[in-house]
Amino acid sequence: MSTTTSNPPISNEVALRIALAARVLPEISLTELIEALQDNVGEVLNEAALSRITVTNLKTAFGQTYDLDGEEEGEDANAGDIAALKEAVRILWGAKDEAEALPTIEPYQDGEMPHSVRIAVASNNRELLDGHFGSCLRYLVYQLSATTLKLIDIRSALEADLSDDRNGFRINLIRDCHVVYIVSIGGPAAAKVVQAGIYPMKLIEGGEARAILTDLQTVIATAPPPWMAKVLGIAEGDRVKNYKAIEAS
């Protein structure tokens, strides 16, 4: 990810740190944070550069100049703002929580799972469905049949925040998927997702992605809805309520 085509690309690790830091600074956009970082450490943003960022650097960049790094934080300082800035710096330095550990992608080749569907899961942490369509950090992509479930890709959505069409960027990211699971999605975004041929499945409570998809496997094996039966390659005459899905060979 980069702010302009002339700047060196930002690594996935650095991009993730910056995106996570921006999320704990709700009044600061991703673009504003990137510009503030470049003002302090130069155009090249890498792990070494981020390690030099301080709370005072950020506060000064965002227009408030009282001292935050000393013992006294200044009478004008807001404790909530200071806590958020300290958390942002911690993230920029790479002090990630265990919750940010990502699952392992499983080997997969197109065509190896007959009668399967491709599912995107909006996620912010680990292997969880816990993301909104328009703000999740990534999409976990699974290939799923009645008998087999594989995590085949993890697609970062960080660059969506720098796009002129954020929803369009996200749709293009998962355009090869038949279904997207989200905890929330706005009406206009949902309409665009459906128009792209992707079926949005909203589960407000979220949960473990594999457990949710295991439930979907049961549906596929017993009574897939007509649209899913078509995706699975089930003949039109066999798309009946009690159809037992063909097992992958």
Side-chain angles (χ1 to χ4, degrees):
M1 182 178 70
S2 61
T3 54
T4 67
T5 56
S6 61
N7 289 338
I10 298 176
S11 71
N12 288 338
E13 170 65 20
V14 169
L16 178 60
R17 291 188 194 179
I18 295 172
L20 291 172
R23 287 173 183 274
V24 301
L25 302 171
E27 297 183 0
I28 306 300
S29 71
L30 179 59
T31 301
E32 289 172 328
L33 178 56
I34 290 174
E35 290 175 350
L37 295 174
Q38 290 176 326
D39 285 344
N40 278 279
V41 298
E43 292 295 313
V44 178
L45 295 180
N46 53 33
E47 294 181 36
L50 295 187
S51 70
R52 300 196 299 271
I53 291 293
T54 68
V55 174
T56 298
N57 288 154
L58 294 185
K59 202 64 179 177
T60 301
F62 301 137
Q64 294 173 289
T65 58
Y66 43 77
D67 180 18
L68 298 178
D69 288 334
E71 293 296 328
E72 299 298 327
E73 294 178 330
E75 62 182 11
D76 294 328
N78 178 286
D81 289 344
I82 294 167
L85 287 168
K86 287 181 176 179
E87 176 66 7
V89 168
R90 188 187 72 85
I91 293 169
L92 291 170
W93 286 355
K96 290 189 285 187
D97 294 327
E98 183 180 349
E100 281 305 313
L102 296 180
T104 301
I105 295 174
E106 300 167 83
Y108 174 78
Q109 292 184 347
D110 284 338
E112 74 175 53
M113 288 173 61
H115 309 293
S116 64
V117 293
R118 187 162 295 179
I119 312 291
V121 175
S123 181
N124 293 315
N125 299 286
R126 293 180 287 126
E127 200 167 358
L128 295 175
L129 166 61
D130 62 353
H132 296 233
F133 176 79
S135 64
C136 65
L137 292 177
R138 62 186 69 89
Y139 295 96
L140 309 175
V141 179
Y142 297 84
Q143 198 74 23
L144 178 150
S145 71
T147 59
T148 307
L149 171 62
K150 286 188 174 185
L151 175 66
I152 64 170
D153 203 3
I154 299 175
R155 299 174 186 174
S156 170
L158 300 179
E159 291 189 44
D161 288 344
L162 299 177
S163 172
D164 292 335
D165 182 0
R166 296 181 184 183
N167 286 334
F169 185 98
R170 289 173 177 273
I171 288 170
N172 286 332
L173 201 60
I174 59 169
R175 192 172 288 275
D176 61 331
C177 298
H178 303 103
V179 179
V180 58
Y181 275 85
I182 62 274
V183 298
S184 181
I185 187 170
K192 291 181 179 180
V193 168
V194 171
Q195 189 175 21
I198 306 168
Y199 191 88
M201 298 279 283
K202 184 168 73 171
L203 292 179
I204 297 174
E205 66 278 13
E208 295 284 346
R210 285 187 180 267
I212 291 166
L213 295 182
T214 298
D215 290 342
L216 180 60
Q217 283 183 295
T218 301
V219 172
I220 289 176
T222 56
W227 66 267
M228 184 172 287
K230 182 178 179 180
V231 171
L232 290 166
I234 300 170
E236 186 172 358
D238 293 330
R239 296 173 199 166
V240 295
K241 182 177 181 180
N242 293 319
Y243 172 83
K244 180 174 176 56
I246 302 172
E247 293 187 0
S249 58

